[in-house]
Each structure stands twice: as C-alpha cells, then as structure tokens.
Amino acid sequence: MDAVRAGALLLAAAVLAAGCAPDPAGAPPAPPAPSATTPATSAAASGAPTSGPAPSSGPAPSGPGAVPERDPQPRPDLDDPASLAVVVNKQRPLDPQDWAPPALEDVEGHLLRPEAAAAARALLAAARAEGVPIRIVSGYRSYAEQSDTYAGWVAQKGRAGADTVSARPGHSEHQTGLAVDVGDGSGCELRECFDGTATAAWVAEHGPEHGFVVRYPWGEHGTTGYWYEPWHLRYLGPERAQELVRSGAATLEEFSGLPPAPDYGPPAPR
Ligand SMILES: [Zn+2]
C-alpha cells in the first residue's frame, strides 16, 4: 500500500471516530431487520453465514482495535419504564409505548405508582402543615386516556397545534405513574398564573426532599420539549432528586446525560 492511500484511510478513520460522518449503523439497514438492541455482531457471533460486507461505504472498522459503535455503558434504568430513573420525553417514548405500571395507588382521587403515592401524601401533608394550600390536579394517565386526549386536541387544532399542548400517547410522563400536577385550588391550575403562588414556590423548594423535581423548568423547553410547568412534578426518589439539585443540572435530560429533546424529530441515538 502506498503512503498516499494509507494516509487517506487514516483520515477517513479519524473522521468516523470523531463522529463527523453519518453513523454507518444508521444508514440503509442491512437485509436482516436490526432490532433496537441487537448489533450486527450477533450474526457473526452465531456463525450464521453472511452474504457480503455489511456497510457499503468506506473502510468499516472491523479489526480488533476498532472502536465500538454502540454506547459501551448501557443505561437500562433510563430506558426501563419500571425504573424510578426512567426518562420519557418527545424523543424517548415509553417502551413499549402502551406500558402501564404494575401497581397504582389512589392519592386523593388520583393514581400514582406506590413509591410516588407515598411520597405525594407526605409532600401534601408537609405543605399543609406550613399553611400552604395544595391539591393534586392530575396523576397517572394511561396510554388509552392520552390517546383520547391527544386525538381531541388534533381534531381541534391539527397535529402541530396539538403537539404544543398535549403529549402524544406513549410520550407522556404521566403514563409512568411518576408524574403529578399540583395546584392550589385558586383557579390557576395548569395555567401560567400558578407561577408566583406560594404553592409553586413551596414545591420548587421542598419537592426534592420528598423526591419530586419540577420537571419542566423555566427557559428549558429547548431541552425538555415543554414550556415552563411549575405544577408538573416528577418523582425520582429523594436521593436522586436531591442529587439532581446539587449537581446544578437544569433538567432531567442534562442530569441523565441525555441529549435535548425539543420536539418529535428523528430519535436521538441512545
Ligand atoms: Zn403534568
């Protein structure tokens, strides 16, 4: 091999490693439909005869020193809807999309996962003990309920309009059973004027002690995909919620090392 050709190969390898080139794994799918979690290596490992090289362009990294294409650190807790650490947003639907919690408990007329329900009761009691009015406005919503809600908005405002006010089914954090909307009974429920109430201030300050964070903070819609919702609290557990606050991360996405999810565009790599 001459020096010029070797140099060109090295350059191509460097570009791939830097992530500047399109991910070859994301390019035209190879004949056997790849599942979300099965890398191409499984076919090779199983000894199945493969017909021809997989990627068609460029020198595919395939030697022993090749950089693995996949994230070397699996983060199943962020993907598993049963985990308290799961992150659901416009680019990370629940998997499966119609997932439902195995258990739910009633808290003042609304359903939450048992861990979140116990914490919500404690939070309500602590706020009221300090004279802060608080009530639950919304808790768990099933895939079917979210489908109906979203379809109603689409009928009224079209799909683009619906997306500004309602999560698509399978993409709502309320479907995890870990999200709760709170209000103060004043008529500002789920409205901008909830901001500035004693209740909004109290839950922002004391929520983390009980395991809840304000999931859609002011000015972070470019990351979370939602405008400021001081009423929407997400249960993470006291340890993780307080860790998020201490970390200085503005959002759950940032804290979890995930890319911004401003809209329903093509899924971000996991
Ligand atoms: Zn909400």
Side-chain angles (χ1 to χ4, degrees):
M1 181 183 302
D2 64 63
V4 174
R5 180 162 163 71
L9 283 175
L10 275 175
L11 181 62
V15 168
L16 281 173
C20 302
D23 178 6
S35 83
T37 53
T38 311
T41 50
S42 62
S46 69
T50 51
S51 53
S56 57
S57 64
S62 58
V67 179
E69 291 172 12
R70 308 275 163 175
D71 187 336
Q73 290 183 314
R75 296 164 303 197
D77 53 330
L78 303 183
D79 300 338
D80 181 359
S83 163
L84 295 183
V86 68
V87 180
V88 172
N89 61 33
K90 291 182 174 178
Q91 302 221 345
R92 297 173 53 83
L94 282 92
D95 180 17
Q97 288 206 16
D98 61 351
W99 186 84
L104 291 162
E105 281 183 13
D106 181 283
V107 184
E108 302 188 2
H110 299 274
L111 295 176
L112 289 172
R113 291 256 295 274
E115 306 92 322
R121 289 187 197 101
L123 177 135
L124 294 172
R128 288 166 183 162
E130 294 184 32
V132 175
I134 189 167
R135 59 188 284 267
I136 294 183
V137 178
S138 180
Y140 169 69
R141 285 199 295 272
S142 70
Y143 181 86
E145 286 169 319
Q146 193 69 27
S147 295
D148 288 348
T149 301
Y150 183 73
W153 283 111
V154 171
Q156 263 190 52
K157 302 167 79 97
R159 195 163 169 88
D163 281 342
T164 65
V165 291
S166 174
R168 294 181 187 175
H171 290 75
S172 171
E173 201 172 55
H174 283 281
Q175 197 183 319
T176 65
L178 300 172
V180 62
D181 296 325
V182 297
D184 66 352
S186 72
C188 279
E189 259 89 44
L190 311 183
R191 295 173 57 198
E192 272 179 50
C193 56
F194 180 67
D195 187 29
T197 64
T199 306
W202 194 92
V203 296
E205 182 181 352
H206 297 286
E209 299 159 23
H210 298 279
F212 290 94
V213 296
V214 175
R215 175 71 174 89
Y216 307 123
W218 173 259
E220 297 296 334
H221 57 277
T223 298
T224 64
Y226 293 90
W227 297 94
Y228 185 37
E229 290 193 6
W231 56 82
H232 179 111
L233 307 179
R234 159 64 196 270
Y235 185 71
L236 290 167
E239 207 169 284
R240 198 162 167 80
Q242 291 176 88
E243 196 186 326
L244 187 155
V245 173
R246 274 196 305 271
S247 77
T251 62
L252 182 57
E253 280 79 8
E254 184 186 335
F255 178 64
S256 305
L258 294 169
D263 51 42
Y264 291 104
R270 287 193 175 183

